[in-house]
Each structure stands twice: as C-alpha cells, then as structure tokens.
Amino acid sequence: MQLERILQSQGFGSRKTCRILVRGGAVRIGGEVVDDPFAEMDVDGLNFEVAGETWSYRAKAYLMLNKPAGYECSREPRHHPSVFALLPVPLVHRGVQSVGRLDEDTTGLLLFTDDGPFIHRWSSGKKQTPKVYDVHTKHPVDDSQIQRLLDGVILHDEPDTVTAASCQQKGETILQLTVTEGKYHQVKRMVAAVGNRVVALHRGRVGGLSLPADLPSGQWRWLADQDLFRLADY
Ligand code: URA
C-alpha cells in the first residue's frame, strides 16, 4: 500500500495531509526518513514513526481505557470532557467508538474499536455478555436486597424483569454485581429498585476480560489477541 494511504488509514488525516507529512520529513521507517508519499509498503508488521512517535499498522484498532470519573462517553459531551479526549488524535480520527457506554461518574473498563461488526456483537444485549461491577452503596446491603437483585426487579419503562446474573456482598456497603444486558443506568436503577442507592460504580470485567491492575486511571492500551480471546472466554 502507498505510504500516504497507510497513514490515512491509521488516522493521520486526509491523503493530502498525509502527503504533506511525508514530504515534510515527519515519517520514519526503520529509523530513516521516507519522504516519498507514494512509496509502496507491505503493511504486515509495519512499524513507522510520525513526528517521533512509533506506531504499528493495524487494519482495525481495538483498545481498552481505564475510564476515570468525570468523563462522558459521547463524542459531543454536554457537561464534562469526552473520553475521546483521553485517546490519541489518530485513534479518534480513524473513528474508534466505545463499545457500549459508561455513565459520566462510572469508572473502569471501557473498550473502543473502529470495527463496526465488533461493536454490534459486543454491545447488543443478545450476546448476554457478563459485565462485572463493583458497586458502592449508600446504605448497608442486606440479604433480601441481594435476593431481589438475583430474582429480578422491575425497572421503569422495561417490559421484562431485569435480573443480576450474580451478586455477592464484598463489604457492608459493597456489592459485586454481574449483569448481562446494557440498559440505560442499569446497575443504578436495579440497586434503586431494591431500596438502596449507588454512590460509586466501577466496571472491572467484560466477558472474560478484566481491567489490568497496572493500567492507571485515564490510560489506554491496545488489546492484544489474547485479550480478544479472553473477552469471548466466559
Ligand atoms: N450501570 C449503570 O447504572 N451505569 C453504568 O455506567 C454502567 C452500568
């Protein structure tokens, strides 16, 4: 593939912008400046530098973010900055989307990709992917609340009862709750339906993929093949 087309596919701007980048000497391959935008490259295993930063060619981008509180998942946020402000510009330009959404005040594992079918597969309720949340509640949790969450609760505007796939008490005001749908404010509404209130919510796992302990809040990381396997392995 021509170098300018490679750069365009990886989110470095229009073909014209990429041509200017290359001609201006901003692109290195194997440590050497390549200033011919039409140079033909094999994309398999291709590493390149743009303005001193190293990138690997990826046909599709898959990444995870440890979402901090105070960020909205929308591209056009209303009250808080967008999670997209935490990602490098080329990733945003190449059109990565979040796989489902977390509330502004929810923290933890959020996936992104520019692979449309992947987003559909993992965010549609049909797949029943378990999503595991640490839930901090305002009031002490009691056994009857846990039982009601496991038996299923009625949520406003939802025709069917909504059930926790699993619910364990981890502290006086801490639950670990697993849900398999992705309804609007689902965990908060479920906990409210049993007479308690969520004061903090953190997603630690989606499918079989856990948020790595060494990924700091606000940081992102590429998903390795192994992570994609884990996601589907639950
Ligand atoms: N459930 C919620 O209530 N909020 C989230 O952000 C995710 C699940």
Side-chain angles (χ1 to χ4, degrees):
M1 201 190 293
Q2 286 180 340
L3 183 54
E4 68 172 26
R5 283 187 186 274
I6 293 174
L7 295 173
Q8 183 191 18
S9 74
Q10 303 299 289
F12 290 91
S14 65
R15 273 176 71 190
K16 190 170 164 203
T17 305
C18 293
R19 196 174 304 165
I20 292 167
L21 269 179
V22 175
R23 289 210 169 118
V27 180
R28 287 174 184 262
I29 296 175
E32 302 292 323
V33 170
V34 180
D35 61 5
D36 175 6
F38 307 113
E40 284 288 341
M41 306 273 158
D42 183 357
V43 291
D44 244 11
L46 178 69
N47 294 316
F48 55 94
E49 268 176 59
V50 179
E53 201 169 333
T54 303
W55 297 83
S56 299
Y57 174 86
R58 290 166 199 265
K60 292 287 173 203
Y62 302 95
L63 48 135
M64 62 169 111
L65 171 74
N66 184 354
K67 180 191 175 295
Y71 286 81
E72 293 181 25
C73 285
S74 166
R75 275 181 180 265
E76 281 157 28
R78 289 200 293 180
H79 304 294
H80 300 273
S82 164
V83 287
F84 291 95
L86 299 167
L87 303 179
V89 170
L91 291 181
V92 180
H93 274 175
R94 69 182 281 176
V96 299
Q97 305 285 338
S98 66
V99 182
R101 289 185 172 202
L102 293 175
D103 295 337
E104 167 274 315
D105 53 354
T106 301
T107 60
L109 181 59
L110 184 61
L111 306 178
F112 291 83
T113 183
D114 55 359
D115 178 345
F118 181 97
I119 295 180
H120 183 70
R121 200 168 343 125
W122 291 103
S123 51
S124 108
K126 272 196 204 138
K127 204 157 168 33
Q128 299 266 295
T129 309
K131 285 157 277 232
V132 183
Y133 292 90
D134 298 324
V135 185
H136 290 252
T137 58
K138 179 159 192 219
H139 309 290
V141 175
D142 62 44
D143 290 347
S144 83
Q145 290 176 351
I146 294 178
Q147 199 52 51
R148 284 164 66 199
L149 288 166
L150 290 169
D151 290 344
V153 292
I154 307 270
L155 301 181
H156 184 62
D157 277 350
E158 297 293 344
D160 302 318
T161 54
V162 181
T163 309
S166 146
C167 185
Q168 283 147 15
Q169 185 151 13
K170 297 285 177 184
E172 199 187 20
T173 55
I174 307 172
L175 288 175
Q176 190 175 71
L177 185 74
T178 305
V179 296
T180 56
E181 309 94 335
K183 298 183 190 303
Y184 181 66
H185 292 332
Q186 182 170 340
V187 172
K188 291 175 184 165
R189 290 159 72 209
M190 288 175 75
V191 170
V194 301
N196 209 324
R197 189 166 146 202
V198 173
V199 292
L201 190 57
H202 175 83
R203 184 157 75 184
R205 183 156 65 82
V206 176
L209 178 66
S210 296
L211 182 68
D214 63 351
L215 183 63
S217 174
Q219 300 293 306
W220 69 277
R221 176 178 293 178
W222 295 110
L223 292 182
D225 288 347
Q226 224 180 14
D227 296 319
L228 294 170
F229 280 125
R230 282 199 192 111
L231 183 64
D233 185 21
Y234 53 88

